Amino acid sequence: MSFKRRILVLAMASAGIGLCGEALALDASPTNIASQSNTPGNDGQSQASAPPATKDTHDKDGEKKPTKEEKLAQTLNTVTVTGYSRSAATSADIQRYSDKIENVVTAADIGGLPDQSIADALTQLPGVAAQRIGGQASQINLRGLPGNFIQTTLDGREQPSTSGSNYIQFDDYPSELIHQVSVYKSSQANIIEGGVGGTIAMETANPLDNKKDQSFNLDTRGSYNSRADGVYGANPRAFRISAAYQGKFLADTLGVGLGYAQLYQPHVAEQYINESYSTTPATLNGRPTYINTGVQISQNGGTERRHGYMGTVVWQPNDAFKLTGNGFFSKYDNTSFQRGMRAQLFTNGGAVITNPVVSPNGALIGGTASSIPGGFFGINGLQAFSVATTANDQSNNADVFSGGLNAQWRTGPWTVTADVSASRANSHTVGSDVTADVYNGLGSGLPLIADQSVSFLLHGLNVGDFSVANPGSYTDLGKMALSSYGMYPTTYRDDRKAFRSSVRYEFRDNPVFAGLEGGVYLSNQTYSADRAVWLYGSAWGQYWLSTPKQPPLALDSSNAVKTCWKSSEFKNFPCFLGLNANAILAAHGITPDPQKDWSQNWTETQSGDVNVKIRDAFVQADIETTVFDRALSGNLGLRVVHTSQYSPGLQQVGNHAGEPIADGHGVISTDYTRVNPGQTYTDYLPSLNLNLELDDENQIRFAAAKVMARPPIDLLKSGVASYIFNGTYNLTSGTNPMLDPMYARQYDLVFAHYFPDSTGVFAADAFYKHIDSFVQTITDPNYDFAAHGYLVPINPQTGQPYLNGTFQTAYNNTKGGYVRGLELQLMRTHFLPGSWSGLGFSLNYAYTESGTKVESNLGGFPQEQGLPGLSKNVASAALFYDGDRFSTRLAANYRSPFVSAAQVSFTFQTVYFASEKVLDYQASYKFNDYLSGLFQVLNLTDQPTRTYFGNATQTSTIQYFGRTLYAGVSLKF
């Protein structure tokens, strides 16, 4: 049966169950549908703000007690404040009446989130930290766990990723189009699995909830970046614009919501980079010393343009039926060129190191690296070391689509929900590596790279020193030429189709349970990764050793511009030529044509697909009872998850034992065969949430669950290379389609106090997670290839398959560990009298620790790093004021040092990140009911990102992004 037919059958079955239930429950009184129809998040499972409907209970005098939904609706309707105060009060009330442990960010109005991106908004919640990529928050860490441990949904639907892995890049989602974001700290059975760290649930607005029949918002802002003036290819002036419409028609039974948001800004970064260290020490001045690979200085310039679109149509002809269709699309084009100078290959005798400065732990942190006199291996003109001018194209084009149709029927005690959806994400990175060098004899028959030297000194967490001999040569068009152009494009695609359906029955007069819910979830995911390559020349001028010979390409003033440094941290560095590499190629009649290429066989083995099918079923009982005359609510449930994961790809078998396969150039190879290894498995995930109301203002919550996060999708690819050694067959790859999910058992205990009249909350949450295992790269010395779906070729000497050898692969049966911590939240509004009543604040603090260690040798010597993504201390604070016309907010985020993957040059390496303190400021003034002015400063103190290897003296990267100023107006009708 096809996937579409299964969706149709399940939808019909759900509808049939609902109709049968109506016949079976003729004596049951209907629930108060009218009071529920306009509360947030009533579209079924996995909604951030939907407390469970509860049974029709009465107090001792026979008066009907309000349900949680009714309490929330009543509370939200009484919130009359505006601006940040309204957002804070609404968030606290949703948290208060939730059936799970969650924290919430809401917009006072559509388009009202004041942050640059959803990631920025989330950092104002306890236990949430952001990793800045390109100067702005993108990847989220939650409770010390990175993005691959976090599930993300939009309107209850799993989101595809443009990252090439599982984690979501939240700068794909304009904050102007998102109405509410919730972070689920605890799990429950009717939430889609996948969040060991937690689940981030984004929601768009329901136009039928809008207070006005028609509303239109227009926001436009101009911006200025403080560093862009000094970065080649960056324009400091940019803009941001958004528009949103909501309308209600046909006697408020039809709602339409439309939104558009555009962001145009410079891509800006100034970088000092120290590359990783050799793991084998060399001898300098009689002392064993770990040598770094090289040092770089670079400017990242370019532009970023994001277009976001959102549309929602809601038809609710009566209290019993609601049909919602919505779609979201975002396209993010980032042109990013890294231009500067790179001194490389200090290691393995590639350079002569003099005047070394060595740290106490034996790492080289300064000195002079020079060309080898007479050439490498005594060959004149052959050099491994050089001081190259670079022009690397790291541009990325990405888009995300998510949409679906949701239907909900309510009749008597029955509620039936069905949702069908489709989503996809595409990402393409250019990935070119370009070098130009100083030559002797340029224009002659045999130009050779000139002897060069660089002197450097690291300054730990500050920008280091970098100087070259004969600096004028690097801006001399008569001496400089393009040596090499390497293009390594990567394309990812993530497609998903899903269906979910649930049926809920609400009990009447049951002393313990309020309702029973069950449902199914079906999802098909197809992921693909494609690699290609195109090469010209030689990075070290060795063109004369290759066939055909590809000599260095001359430059001219139209494609090479003298570029100097302006900012105070970098102003002493040498000037360089800002290269337009594509224009240089065009001037010489050369057109790049990247393809999969057998001569670079990694392009074939690193390409491949992954197919994942998920079939879930769940049952959940909602609890509504009393214990010692105190109200106790919550839920108890079980989710059963059946997964099938397989990866069609290429395996190198060698000896022409494979099948004929053509590369992108049409060249046929018979050294490879197609394989499709994988596995199926079933998991059982129980969950419990309890909320004991001590009184009207105080709660104690407890939650426990077994949770899972799927292995990173990019690590499930099957492509592998091979080699024969001593009669054994060996495979090498950093991926493994046999990876199991990452499982954890988690517990939460929360005390919460809610201040009267929705004026604030204090909450303390102690949590503990035991994670069974993590994914690591290992070498298995005796892997049974045939048992896992890999073809073992025949040894011609024995006539039998080669013996099993080693498999270098991803593996997740490694030892796990705990993550535990304490989160504190305090928010107050309207706690002062008179004119000060508009003052409010929020404070969040999280302490997280883990005993898990990850081994690394990027600093040269072996060391144990902490769990990637974990900062022991994460804090955020906001001070805001809302007056009749004037509103202002100062927000601060802090995270202590942590370990994470960062791009260092062209490779991603797990390094240490130093602590960060990021401040943002915003002020607005309301001229009248329709027009407001806005002023905003992001990264107020121009906080850099600082990383290092093992010891703070061993700099990895120092990156400055500048502060961004916004000013604009907002129109509301």
Side-chain angles (χ1 to χ4, degrees), residues 197-253:
T199 296
I200 296 175
M202 299 179 287
E203 294 182 26
T204 55
N206 180 351
L208 289 182
D209 292 337
N210 193 27
K211 292 183 178 180
K212 297 180 180 180
D213 289 336
Q214 310 283 325
S215 65
F216 177 77
N217 296 354
L218 175 66
D219 183 272
T220 178
R221 312 176 205 176
S223 68
Y224 179 85
N225 182 279
S226 63
R227 282 189 178 261
D229 265 335
V231 173
Y232 182 90
N235 184 349
R237 293 170 180 82
F239 65 87
R240 186 171 182 169
I241 186 171
S242 64
Y245 167 78
Q246 292 189 83
K248 293 188 286 188
F249 306 91
L250 303 179
D252 293 349
T253 62

Side-chain angles (χ1 to χ4, degrees), residues 274-284 287-294 345-351 353 356-358 362-366 369 456 858-861 954:
N274 175 44
E275 298 179 0
S276 61
Y277 286 75
S278 171
T279 57
T280 302
T283 300
L284 291 180
R287 176 181 177 181
T289 305
Y290 294 100
I291 309 295
N292 51 336
T293 305
L345 293 185
F346 295 177
T347 55
N348 299 322
I353 307 295
V357 180
V358 181
L364 184 68
I365 60 173
F456 74 99
L858 293 176
F861 52 91
Q954 295 175 258

Side-chain angles (χ1 to χ4, degrees), residues 760-907:
V761 58
F762 168 77
D765 183 344
F767 68 90
Y768 180 90
K769 298 176 185 286
H770 185 276
I771 302 174
D772 293 343
S773 63
F774 297 94
V775 176
Q776 295 184 8
T777 299
I778 67 160
T779 299
D780 191 323
N782 187 25
Y783 192 81
D784 191 343
F785 295 109
H788 292 90
Y790 293 101
L791 174 66
V792 180
I794 300 298
N795 185 339
Q797 296 180 357
T798 65
Q800 300 295 320
Y802 283 100
L803 300 176
N804 288 327
T806 62
F807 191 11
Q808 186 264 324
T809 183
Y811 189 70
N812 67 344
N813 286 337
T814 54
K815 183 180 178 181
Y818 67 83
V819 178
R820 63 191 180 195
L822 175 67
E823 296 172 352
L824 302 175
Q825 177 189 24
L826 175 62
M827 185 276 293
R828 291 301 314 271
T829 65
H830 297 87
F831 61 96
L832 294 175
S835 60
W836 292 98
S837 64
L839 188 67
F841 67 88
S842 66
L843 299 172
N844 299 293
Y845 171 75
Y847 175 81
T848 309
E849 64 178 20
S850 174
T852 301
K853 300 295 182 181
V854 179
E855 189 163 315
S856 172
N857 55 12
L858 293 176
F861 52 91
Q863 58 184 291
E864 286 190 335
Q865 298 176 330
L867 181 65
L870 188 148
S871 291
K872 280 193 174 182
N873 298 285
V874 174
S876 65
L879 180 66
F880 51 87
Y881 177 83
D882 293 305
D884 292 336
R885 293 185 177 274
F886 177 71
S887 294
T888 186
R889 185 184 78 150
L890 177 65
N893 291 290
Y894 169 80
R895 67 181 305 182
S896 61
F898 63 103
V899 169
S900 186
Q903 188 168 8
V904 181
S905 188
F906 259 74
T907 62

